[in-house]
Amino acid sequence: MPRTAFFVSDRTGITAEMLGHSLLTQFDDVNFRRITLPYIDNRDKAEETATLIRQQAAADQCRPIVFSTMVDATLRKIIHVEEALTLDFFQIFIDPLERELGRESSHIQGKSHGISNFEEYKARIDAVNFTISHDDGVMPRDLNEADIILIGVSRSAKTPTCLYLALQYGIKAANYPLTPEDFGAHTLPRLLLPYRTKLFGLTIDPERLSQIREERKPGSKYAQFDNCQFEVNEAEALMRHVGVPYLSSTTRSIEELATSIMHRAGLVRRTF
Amino acid sequence: MPRTAFFVSDRTGITAEMLGHSLLTQFDDVNFRRITLPYIDNRDKAEETATLIRQQAAADQCRPIVFSTMVDATLRKIIHVEEALTLDFFQIFIDPLERELGRESSHIQGKSHGISNFEEYKARIDAVNFTISHDDGVMPRDLNEADIILIGVSRSAKTPTCLYLALQYGIKAANYPLTPEDFGAHTLPRLLLPYRTKLFGLTIDPERLSQIREERKPGSKYAQFDNCQFEVNEAEALMRHVGVPYLSSTTRSIEELATSIMHRAGLVRRTF
C-alpha cells in the first residue's frame, strides 16, 4: 500500500517537488503516491488543500507527508493539519537566515521561479534559441557566440544536455555529431578547428549505444554493435588525440552531464 | 559589499542551488556572490571546501551562508565550519522522515538527479526528441503521440515552454505557430483539427511582443506594434472562438507556464 506525499506551494511547486523528491529517494523501499498542488495562494485554496490532505489520510489509514513551500505564514498554518507530517521549507530555514542577515524576509510569493530579472530571462530565451538553431551540426555563422560546443557520436546525449544547459543556465550550447566521415584523419572536422577551446566531448558505452540506436532504426548498420564500437573507439581516440575533454553519458543523467560540464569547462551561469 | 553564499553538494548541487536560491530571493536587498561546489564526495574535497569557506569568511569579514545537501554525515560535519551559517537540508529533514516512516534512510549519494530508473530516463529523452522534431509547425505523422500541442503567435514562448515540459516532465510537447494565414477563417488550421483536445494556447502583450520581435528582425513589418497587435487579437479571438484554453507569457516565466499547463491540462509527469 503506497503512502501519499503532497507537494504544496503558493506558486509553481517546483521547489517543493525537488526538495521532497531528494528526500524521498532516500527511502526507496517505500512506495509513494505523489500529488502536487501548485498555486495555493489564497485562504480558500489552502482550506481545500487541508481537506484533501485529511481525506487522503483517512483513505490511506496512514499519515500523508506534506512538503510545502508557503511564504505566507497564515496559509502555511491552514495547510498544516494534524493528520499529516508537514515539512515546510520556508518555516524551517527563514528564521536562521533572518537572524544571520539581520533583516526580515520579504514574504513575497513566487520570487524563485518567476520573472524577477528580465535581462536574465532574455539571456535564457536567447540561449534556447541559439541552442536549437545550432543542434546536430547545424552551424550558421554565429558559432563564435557559442559558450560551449558538445561533440560525440550520434545518440550520445548531446542534444538534451545542450538544451538543459540553455534552459537552466542560459548557456549557448551548440552540438556537432562525429560521424564515420570524421574519423581516420585524426584531426577535428574543419568546421570545428577555430573553436577548439570551446569543445567538450560526450561518449557512451557501445553496447548501450547499440540498444538506443536499435530502438530508433531497428536492424540498421547504424545500430549494429560492431559499428557502434567502431564509432565510439574512433571518437574517443580523436578526442584524446586533439585534447578535447570528454565524459561518458552511459551512467550519467542529463543533470549530471550538464553540471559536470559547467564545472569542468568553467562556465558561468547567466540565470539563477 | 556582497555576502557570499555557497551551494555545496556531494552530487550535482542542483537541489542545494534551488533551495538556497528560493530562500535568498526573499532577501533581495542583499547582494550575494554565489559559489557552487558540486561533487564534494570525499574527505579531501570536503576539507578543501571547509578551507575555502573559511578563507571567504576572512576575505568578506562576514560569515558566508552555506546551503548544503550532503548525504554522508561525516562529510557534512567537515564542511560545517564555525565561520559560516550552514543550512544542511538532509540534516534537518531526514530525522523527522525517518521517524515518520519507521525506517532508516539509505544514505546513498546522488539518488535525486541520477539515472535511478532507466525507463523514466528513456521517456524523458524520447520526449525531448519528439519535441525537437515537432517544433515550430514541423508536423510529421506521429503528431497523435503528442501529449500537448502549444499554439500561439511567433515569439510567444512556445518553444522554450515545450522544451521545459519535455526535459523536466517527459511530456511530448509539439508546437504550431499561428500566422496571418491562419486568421480570418475563424477556424483552426486544418492540420490541427484532429487534435483539438490536445491544444493549449500561449498569448503575449502586443507591446512586449513587438520589443522581442524588434530584437530579432529590426525594422520589419513582423515586429511593428500594429502588426503584433493584429496578430495577438486575431489569435486570441480564434482561441476563444474554438474553445482552446490559453495563458499569457508576458509576466510568466517558463517554469510558471509549464507548471500551469501541466495543472490545467491535467497532464501527468513521466519523470521525477
Side-chain angles (χ1 to χ4, degrees), chain A residues 115-127 169-170 270-272, chain B residues 208 211 215:
Chain A
I115 304 187
S116 49
N117 177 330
F118 188 59
E119 283 308 305
E120 269 192 22
Y121 181 72
K122 227 177 63 58
R124 185 184 187 193
I125 301 292
D126 285 350
Y169 301 129
R270 293 214 175 76
T271 64
F272 234 105
Chain B
R208 165 68 67 82
Q211 282 168 15
E215 285 202 22

Side-chain angles (χ1 to χ4, degrees), chain A residues 48 63 141 143 150 206 209 217 224 226 232 264 272:
Chain A
E48 275 171 44
R63 278 153 62 92
R141 282 209 186 141
L143 190 59
L150 299 191
L209 180 62
K217 296 194 182 170
Q224 272 171 19
D226 286 356
V232 168
R264 289 182 52 178
F272 234 105

Side-chain angles (χ1 to χ4, degrees), chain B residues 6-18:
Chain B
F6 285 95
F7 309 101
V8 184
S9 167
D10 47 30
R11 298 294 289 198
T12 64
I14 293 173
T15 305
E17 284 184 337
M18 186 177 285

Side-chain angles (χ1 to χ4, degrees), chain B residues 16 27 38 41 59 67 72 127 159 221 239 271:
Chain B
F27 299 92
D41 53 6
F67 298 97
D72 184 290
T159 297
K221 184 190 169 201
M239 294 190 284
T271 64

Side-chain angles (χ1 to χ4, degrees), chain A residues 3 7 11-12 14-15 17-30 32 34 36-39 63-65 67 71 85 87-90 92-94 96-98 100-101 103-115 118 121-122 124-126 128-129 132 135 155 157 159-160 163-164 167-169 208 211-212 215-216 249-257 259-260 263 269 272, chain B residues 3 7 11-12 14-15 17-30 32 34 36-39 63-65 67 71 85 87-90 92-94 96-98 100-101 103-115 118 121-122 124-126 128-129 132 135 155 157 159-160 163-164 167-169 208 211-212 215-216 249-257 259-260 263 269 272:
Chain A
R3 293 188 70 136
F7 308 100
R11 297 294 288 198
T12 65
I14 292 173
T15 305
E17 285 184 336
M18 185 179 285
L19 296 176
H21 179 65
S22 289
L23 291 164
L24 295 184
T25 54
Q26 292 292 322
F27 299 93
D28 57 8
D29 55 340
V30 185
F32 291 99
R34 294 158 195 262
T36 302
L37 303 173
Y39 302 104
R63 278 153 62 92
I65 296 169
F67 298 98
V71 172
L85 171 69
L87 300 174
D88 190 278
F89 167 63
F90 280 107
I92 290 170
F93 288 111
I94 280 290
L97 271 174
E98 288 187 341
E100 178 68 36
L101 297 170
R103 70 195 70 205
E104 284 198 19
S105 63
S106 67
H107 289 95
I108 297 169
Q109 294 167 356
K111 312 258 298 183
S112 175
H113 293 104
I115 304 187
F118 188 59
Y121 181 72
K122 227 177 63 58
R124 185 184 187 193
I125 301 292
D126 285 350
V128 169
N129 291 333
I132 289 210
D135 184 39
R155 300 289 120 186
T159 297
L163 290 170
Y164 191 91
L167 266 173
Q168 298 294 342
Y169 301 129
R208 165 67 68 83
Q211 282 168 14
I212 293 171
E215 285 201 22
R216 201 164 167 88
S249 67
T250 313
T251 57
R252 286 188 178 86
S253 69
I254 301 305
E255 281 83 353
E256 288 170 329
L257 292 171
T259 54
S260 295
H263 192 56
R269 57 195 296 165
F272 234 105
Chain B
R3 294 188 66 136
F7 309 101
R11 298 294 289 198
T12 64
I14 293 173
T15 305
E17 284 184 337
M18 186 177 285
L19 165 86
H21 179 64
S22 290
L23 292 163
L24 295 185
T25 54
Q26 291 293 320
F27 299 92
D28 57 8
D29 54 341
V30 186
F32 291 100
R34 295 158 195 261
T36 302
L37 302 172
Y39 302 104
R63 279 153 61 92
I65 295 169
F67 298 97
V71 172
L85 172 68
L87 299 173
D88 189 278
F89 174 62
F90 281 108
I92 290 171
F93 288 111
I94 279 289
L97 271 175
E98 287 187 343
E100 179 67 36
L101 298 170
R103 70 197 70 207
E104 284 198 17
S105 64
S106 67
H107 289 96
I108 297 169
Q109 294 167 356
K111 312 260 298 185
S112 175
H113 292 103
I115 304 185
F118 188 62
Y121 181 72
K122 225 176 66 57
R124 184 181 186 196
I125 301 293
D126 286 350
V128 169
N129 291 332
I132 289 212
D135 183 38
R155 301 288 120 188
T159 297
L163 289 171
Y164 192 91
L167 265 173
Q168 298 294 343
Y169 300 132
R208 165 68 67 82
Q211 282 168 15
I212 293 172
E215 285 202 22
R216 200 165 168 87
S249 67
T250 312
T251 58
R252 286 188 177 87
S253 68
I254 301 305
E255 281 83 354
E256 288 170 331
L257 293 171
T259 54
S260 296
H263 193 57
R269 57 194 295 164
F272 232 104

